[in-house]
Amino acid sequence: MSINEDDVKNDSDNDLGDDFDYQPNAEDDDVDSLDSTSKSEEVCGVKRIADLMVEDIWNLEFRIEDEACQFYNAYSCWHGFVMRKDDVVRDNQGRIISRQLVCNKEGWRNMRYLDLDNRSREARSLTRTKCPARLRVKLDYGCGRWKVSSFVESHNHDLTPPQFAHLVLSNRRLTVTDKVQVENLHNFGVKTCHIMGYIAFQKGGYCHAGFTRKDLYNHIDRYRQSKVKNGDANAAINYLIGKLNNDPPFFGKYTFTSDERLEHIFWADGQSIIDYHCFGDIVAFDSTYKKNKYNKPLVIFSGCNHHGQTVIFGSGLLSDETTETYKWLLETFVEAMGGKNPKAVITDGDLAMRDAIKNVLPDATHRLCGWHLQRNACENIKNPNFLHDFKGLIYDNNDHRDFDQRWAAILDKHNLVGSTWMEKTYETRSMWSHCFLRDKFFGYIRTTSQCEGINSLIRFYVNRKNTLIDFMHNLDRALKEYRNNELIADFKSQFSEPVMITSLEVYERFASCYFTRNIFKEIRNEIQRAGALNIKVLSTTLDKVEFSVTALGDSAKDRRVEVDRGKNLFSCSCKMFESRGIPCSHVFYAMKFENILEFPDSLIYKRWTKNEKNEFISTEMPVNDDVERVLKFRVGALASNCNKLCDIACKDLADFDEVQYELVNLILRLQSRKQVKESQQDKGHSFTNYECTVDDVMDEKCDTPHVQIDVRDPFPSSMPCGNKQGSYMALFTSMHRTL
């Protein structure tokens, strides 16, 4: 027999378990197991580890070698030292027949590690003291048990006091439950320091957590690395491909540089594309978010839905902020949205982005974001009183002829004559002041709340340590939060009725029936303001009448309202309906004066109605001459409903069985119906199946210096062109996978 030394391993992954059995003598075969976590308890007459004498340890027997390791590990934890596996003895067949366990301070550090001249970092503290404490067990062939053959109790160093026992390396580890909980909290965006505090609170203190803050950080680092085994960029591309498999309308596109590094990337899921076609008349995008490991600009395309809430249309990560890069991004965005251009665009004022918009979206009205403008004002003009006056220039609903007078007054008031920043800002006044843009529809995006809200959400979900794949996952979670907000708002609008509080109840009740709850509240505020107005008829013709509407006690605030009685049209000089899509208080007072009891259709901006999204899906889909787009929208609509069905049915076995049964029957009915139709068409006249055009996933050649890849193959190339069976089975399979 020969003696071989195992590699010494002393880390928190050395899991020796919690339960073990020991026998005080060879005849006792029915001794209950002793749990190392219950060191202070005495069970069924079995001695506690703290009460074991040297003679007791010499009489111990173990069924297997691991039980001896578990016992000595528990013994070492109780007495304040760390166990380490030492040498083993093997028989001729390589089986271990003897194992020695020692104190981790046994032996000396090799001198060659102390005399290194080219050391890159400071040497670790010395921990070895040639401690003699040990336990050796040998296999007794006669009874098949492991018996103690050598035991040394004494140490030549101080033992760890009980208050420090939880800091000993062998006593620290994350359990499976800990790991799952930590990873879920990390995925949700909770900071590591907060995770540590939460678990310590949950377990009754840091001493009972079972691990230290450093252990937690190490585990999260390993967890992050496990998600990017083949590289961060490759993981991000695989993420896009995975999204495409579960979401056919999903669009993703990215480019490589000449040295095959990921350059730009853009993605938008099917729901975002549908949202854009519903609410994409105004698009805001901002490149100021740089919360990622590579400090690359993140551009988020956003808008507002029929509740006035933020909705995300797509996201892009760019390598730089040049005009050419922004042109690529805007062209890709328009391509993802089926060629539909927005009517208005709101940006942070970046010059390169401004040039790209002129090239790609020449017909869109370009507005500078008020929130970013205020932030720039705070940075360039160190005067807190100036910001209040400046906000009035941005948002007040005045005529543009009054702008120059107010601007000059602000320059004199705050001694800003000659300021370079003020001069540059004045040159772009037609892009940020509401008085120049009030006849253009911007909904609620003109205010600061949207950009400020996105900034706040990005700060919550994303941090600068995020890898690319973490970044994309976290943005996806932020997107889900926005969609959950929309779902809650839909529920409130559809299934609750507000209390009528105004004197013009006929207008208020109509608005509550047609408009979403958030928009209704804005309209109700205008109805209430109508009570504090005065009106005077200026002129009357056969079908038209013009009114002068003034505020009670302030005749200087004069608004002109024109009413076309024949066409039932209304217009006001305040331009609220043109800029925000809701009737103003001046129009409501004119309606009251004209004794109009019905809410005119001309004042219903369908974008703000409760059923705007559902009506779009059913009636505003692309026409049939674009087969690919039609199929994409249909698949997106079906997938959206199937996702809701999956979420409900997967939680109960009976519901799952019922849904699965009904789906299979539905598929069979549709297949049978299609076969009948095809048979009838074949009898009446010749029929040619259309072909689905599918873009190539990878361009073999590219005129530009980078390779461009389009992750957009909404329909499997193997799908029979004239037969929908493949699409329905794919949809069913996708749902089954989700369940």
Side-chain angles (χ1 to χ4, degrees), residues 594-612:
E594 288 286 296
N595 197 32
I596 297 174
L597 301 180
E598 293 184 1
F599 210 100
D601 292 340
S602 61
L603 296 180
I604 301 176
Y605 203 82
K606 290 187 177 180
R607 190 190 198 284
W608 302 129
T609 57
K610 297 179 180 180
N611 297 319
E612 167 61 15

Side-chain angles (χ1 to χ4, degrees), residues 373-382 386-387 390 421:
L373 200 62
Q374 292 178 52
R375 192 170 65 174
N376 292 336
C378 292
E379 294 174 355
N380 290 275
I381 307 298
K382 310 297 183 180
F386 165 76
L387 184 61
F390 186 63
W421 185 84

Side-chain angles (χ1 to χ4, degrees), residues 635 667 671 674 715-716 718-734:
V635 171
I667 292 169
Q671 287 176 343
K674 181 171 179 57
F715 308 104
S718 60
M719 182 190 300
C721 292
N723 187 355
K724 296 294 191 304
Q725 178 179 353
S727 62
Y728 288 123
M729 291 306 295
L731 182 63
F732 178 76
T733 304
S734 175

Side-chain angles (χ1 to χ4, degrees), residues 175-375:
T175 64
V176 174
T177 304
D178 290 335
K179 292 177 181 179
V180 171
Q181 188 170 213
V182 165
E183 290 164 8
N184 287 339
L185 290 170
H186 171 73
N187 290 338
F188 186 69
V190 181
K191 294 181 179 179
T192 307
C193 58
H194 296 161
I195 295 175
M196 186 68 206
Y198 168 73
I199 292 181
F201 174 78
Q202 189 181 54
K203 293 189 175 183
Y206 285 91
C207 60
H208 301 297
F211 52 88
T212 64
R213 188 185 301 269
K214 183 178 180 181
D215 298 330
L216 180 62
Y217 274 94
N218 289 340
H219 174 73
I220 290 178
D221 285 340
R222 287 192 296 268
Y223 174 67
R224 284 174 176 166
Q225 292 299 321
S226 67
K227 295 193 291 187
V228 291
K229 290 181 180 179
N230 298 321
D232 197 10
N234 188 65
I237 293 171
N238 288 334
Y239 171 79
L240 295 184
I241 296 173
K243 293 281 285 185
L244 176 64
N245 292 335
N246 295 315
D247 183 10
F250 178 89
F251 182 96
K253 198 168 188 178
Y254 51 92
T255 64
F256 286 122
T257 61
S258 56
D259 58 349
E260 298 185 354
R261 291 179 176 272
L262 188 63
E263 186 179 28
H264 315 310
I265 186 169
F266 171 85
W267 68 98
D269 65 10
Q271 186 61 51
S272 293
I273 294 173
I274 291 177
D275 286 338
Y276 176 80
H277 282 272
C278 293
F279 312 114
D281 46 354
I282 314 108
V283 173
F285 57 100
D286 183 5
S287 63
T288 59
Y289 319 110
K290 293 186 178 179
K291 295 267 188 173
N292 58 80
K293 181 178 180 180
Y294 310 105
N295 199 33
K296 300 300 182 184
L298 165 70
V299 178
I300 295 179
F301 292 86
S302 64
C304 66
N305 60 16
H306 50 319
H307 300 286
Q309 298 172 327
T310 300
V311 59
I312 304 298
F313 300 138
S315 307
L317 271 172
L318 308 176
S319 61
D320 53 52
E321 297 178 83
T322 62
T323 301
E324 289 301 316
T325 297
Y326 283 129
K327 284 177 63 179
W328 175 89
L329 180 66
L330 289 174
E331 290 169 354
T332 303
F333 174 74
V334 173
E335 179 187 355
M337 303 306 162
K340 178 182 177 181
N341 292 341
K343 296 179 182 178
V345 176
I346 301 174
T347 72
D348 60 344
D350 185 89
L351 294 178
M353 188 182 294
R354 195 180 305 176
D355 293 338
I357 291 173
K358 290 179 181 178
N359 283 277
V360 182
L361 305 172
D363 298 329
T365 302
H366 187 186
R367 183 172 191 157
L368 302 183
C369 174
W371 184 78
H372 289 95
L373 200 62
Q374 292 178 52
R375 192 170 65 174

Side-chain angles (χ1 to χ4, degrees), residues 42-71:
E42 193 166 339
V43 183
C44 299
V46 178
K47 286 188 176 180
R48 297 174 300 178
I49 291 179
D51 298 333
L52 289 176
M53 307 297 291
V54 175
E55 295 79 8
D56 296 324
I57 294 176
W58 275 98
N59 292 327
L60 290 178
E61 292 183 1
F62 308 95
R63 292 180 301 218
I64 57 176
E65 175 205 350
D66 283 344
E67 285 187 357
C69 296
Q70 292 172 25
F71 163 75

Side-chain angles (χ1 to χ4, degrees), residues 11 24 47 70 81-82 218 228 314 317 331 343 387 424 433 521 545 624 633 687:
D11 55 32
K47 286 188 176 180
Q70 292 172 25
F81 69 97
V82 178
N218 289 340
V228 291
L317 271 172
E331 290 169 354
K343 296 179 182 178
L387 184 61
K424 291 182 178 180
S433 178
K521 290 179 179 178
V545 59
N624 290 335
F633 276 99
F687 176 76

